[in-house]
């Protein structure tokens, strides 16, 4: 990035928990490249109801958090009322980036120009739900990994992770996503083959299973046993991500996935993808997705099911 007069980056993460971590990490990496601190405004959303205090350490948060009132006072309005995309607020000495449907990455060149041309800009506010980075960045995966490693977690959450890992030894992991990514989710067969491959490479027999439904978790425990391996999971986990408990449980699962010595996951899931980023390139991770033919077949089945059930679903009318 060129010379600038910026004094702070303010990250306002959106969407689910891992999308928020991606956005926060991206903003922090950008702030570090610009030589300014990054502050955090973590707001409630139905997709991620757990508060920052329920997820992260209090001292860690207190050093970086900023309130909604402070942000709105800085901008001179409710930040949710601002237009989409890249907005300059010269009278407030601020620039706001909110990529929405287009994402933030497409605006990075324009952002660079805006900061270079206006020497009065003191604050950059980024409202995002995913990853982005400055142009021509190197080792972005490694930079995100370093950021995730720097995060201090809530004491109760971290205690649950440590209790699950204490005395466990090295293990492999499988992340099963069958709800919101069901169209592109890899087949059970392909994931089973990938897990067998990892086991052959590592000779590890312990396999942690993180799934988005109890049925998927139970099914994969059987699959892993059939391979002659030893499955384990946190059976007390809540799978309702619209609840605070479900969100905290999801982050416990993610932290455990990130500690595996190898991982099989759905490539289109940010949850699995960022766990693989945490594991690092020196350990085997395999991201899978359904083939284009399988996706077309699933879509046709979905359309057929919708057509068949339409009369019953609309009978009340």
């Amino acid at each position: 990035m060129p010379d600038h007069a910026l004094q702070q980056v303010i990250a306002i993460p959106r969407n689910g928990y891992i999308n928020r971590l991606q956005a926060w990490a991206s903003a922090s990496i950008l702030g570090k490249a610009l030589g300014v601190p990054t502050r955090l405004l973590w707001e409630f959303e139905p997709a991620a109801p757990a508060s920052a205090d329920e997820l992260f350490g209090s001292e860690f948060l207190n050093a970086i958090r900023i309130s909604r009132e402070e942000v709105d006072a800085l901008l001179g309005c409710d930040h949710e009322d601002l237009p989409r995309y890249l907005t300059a607020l010269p009278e407030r000495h601020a620039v706001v980036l909110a990529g929405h449907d287009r994402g933030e990455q497409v605006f990075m060149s324009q952002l660079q120009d805006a900061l270079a041309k206006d020497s009065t800009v003191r604050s950059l506010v980024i409202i995002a739900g995913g990853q982005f980075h400055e142009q021509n960045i190197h080792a972005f995966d490694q930079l995100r990994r370093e950021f995730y490693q720097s995060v201090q977690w809530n004491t109760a959450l971290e205690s649950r992770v440590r209790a699950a890992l204490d005395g466990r030894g090295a293990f492999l992991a499988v992340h099963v996503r069958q709800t919101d990514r069901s169209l592109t989710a890899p087949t059970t067969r392909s994931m089973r083959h990938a897990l067998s491959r990892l086991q052959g490479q590592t000779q590890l027999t312990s396999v942690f299973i993180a799934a988005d439904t109890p049925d998927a978790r139970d099914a994969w425990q059987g699959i892993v046993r059939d391979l002659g391996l030893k499955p384990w999971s946190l059976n007390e986990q809540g799978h309702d991500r619209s609840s605070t408990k479900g969100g905290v449980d999801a982050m416990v699962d993610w932290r455990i996935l990130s500690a595996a010595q190898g991982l099989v996951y759905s490539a289109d899931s940010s949850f699995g993808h960022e766990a693989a980023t945490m594991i690092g390139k020196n350990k085997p991770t395999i991201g899978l997705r359904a083939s284009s033919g399988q996706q077309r077949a699933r879509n046709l089945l979905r359309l057929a099911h919708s057509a068949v059930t339409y009369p019953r679903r609309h009978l009340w009318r």
Side-chain angles (χ1 to χ4, degrees), residues 99-166:
H100 289 273
D101 56 308
R102 297 182 62 188
E104 288 67 44
Q105 190 60 43
V106 297
F107 298 100
M108 295 308 293
S109 179
Q110 293 172 250
L111 175 61
Q112 179 175 320
D113 292 341
L115 295 178
K117 291 175 181 177
D118 189 346
S119 61
T120 69
V121 176
R122 299 290 184 267
S123 299
L124 169 59
V125 179
I126 302 177
I127 306 170
Q131 61 189 40
F132 54 88
H133 53 78
E134 62 178 319
Q135 303 296 312
N136 303 315
I137 194 171
H138 298 290
F140 185 51
D141 283 355
Q142 178 60 27
L143 291 173
R144 292 202 318 285
R145 184 170 184 247
E146 291 171 2
F147 171 81
Y148 296 145
Q149 290 173 331
S150 75
V151 171
Q152 295 175 21
W153 295 86
N154 172 282
T155 302
L157 188 155
E158 189 66 12
S159 295
R160 290 175 59 191
V161 174
R162 289 179 180 174
L165 296 179
D166 279 352

Side-chain angles (χ1 to χ4, degrees), residues 28-228:
S28 182
I29 292 166
L30 180 59
K32 192 171 183 179
L34 292 166
V36 300
T38 299
R39 304 183 71 185
L40 176 70
L41 172 56
W42 185 281
E43 296 189 300
F44 169 87
E45 281 188 88
S51 69
D53 292 284
E54 291 169 301
L55 299 174
F56 310 111
S58 57
E59 290 186 15
F60 175 70
L61 279 177
N62 290 338
I64 59 173
R65 80 165 90 216
I66 186 170
S67 70
R68 177 168 183 150
E69 290 73 22
E70 289 176 283
V71 172
D72 290 350
L74 184 152
L75 298 176
C77 66
D78 188 326
H79 65 273
E80 292 186 351
D81 293 336
L82 290 167
R84 295 183 176 190
Y85 312 134
L86 190 64
T87 304
L89 301 173
E91 70 284 1
R92 312 303 300 188
H93 307 296
V95 171
V96 180
L97 174 59
H100 289 273
D101 56 308
R102 297 182 62 188
E104 288 67 44
Q105 190 60 43
V106 297
F107 298 100
M108 295 308 293
S109 179
Q110 293 172 250
L111 175 61
Q112 179 175 320
D113 292 341
L115 295 178
K117 291 175 181 177
D118 189 346
S119 61
T120 69
V121 176
R122 299 290 184 267
S123 299
L124 169 59
V125 179
I126 302 177
I127 306 170
Q131 61 189 40
F132 54 88
H133 53 78
E134 62 178 319
Q135 303 296 312
N136 303 315
I137 194 171
H138 298 290
F140 185 51
D141 283 355
Q142 178 60 27
L143 291 173
R144 292 202 318 285
R145 184 170 184 247
E146 291 171 2
F147 171 81
Y148 296 145
Q149 290 173 331
S150 75
V151 171
Q152 295 175 21
W153 295 86
N154 172 282
T155 302
L157 188 155
E158 189 66 12
S159 295
R160 290 175 59 191
V161 174
R162 289 179 180 174
L165 296 179
D166 279 352
R168 178 68 60 177
F171 61 94
L172 301 175
V174 175
H175 177 236
V176 186
R177 192 70 173 266
Q178 294 186 338
T179 52
D180 57 332
R181 296 287 179 181
S182 59
L183 187 65
T184 60
T187 63
T188 299
R189 181 180 180 182
S190 66
M191 292 187 70
R192 179 183 174 124
H193 286 329
L195 179 58
S196 293
R197 218 162 82 218
L198 282 191
Q199 198 280 324
Q201 287 177 253
T202 63
Q203 298 302 302
L204 295 175
T205 58
S206 177
V207 181
F208 174 67
I209 301 167
D212 53 1
T213 68
D215 288 345
R217 177 198 63 208
D218 294 345
W220 266 92
Q221 286 179 342
I223 292 168
V224 170
R225 287 193 191 95
D226 288 344
L227 290 172

Side-chain angles (χ1 to χ4, degrees), residues 231-253:
W232 62 282
S233 57
L234 303 183
N235 292 332
E236 77 278 6
Q237 299 296 76
H239 293 83
D240 179 8
R241 297 299 180 248
S242 65
S243 71
T244 295
K245 181 183 184 306
V248 174
D249 288 350
M251 298 316 300
V252 171
D253 270 352

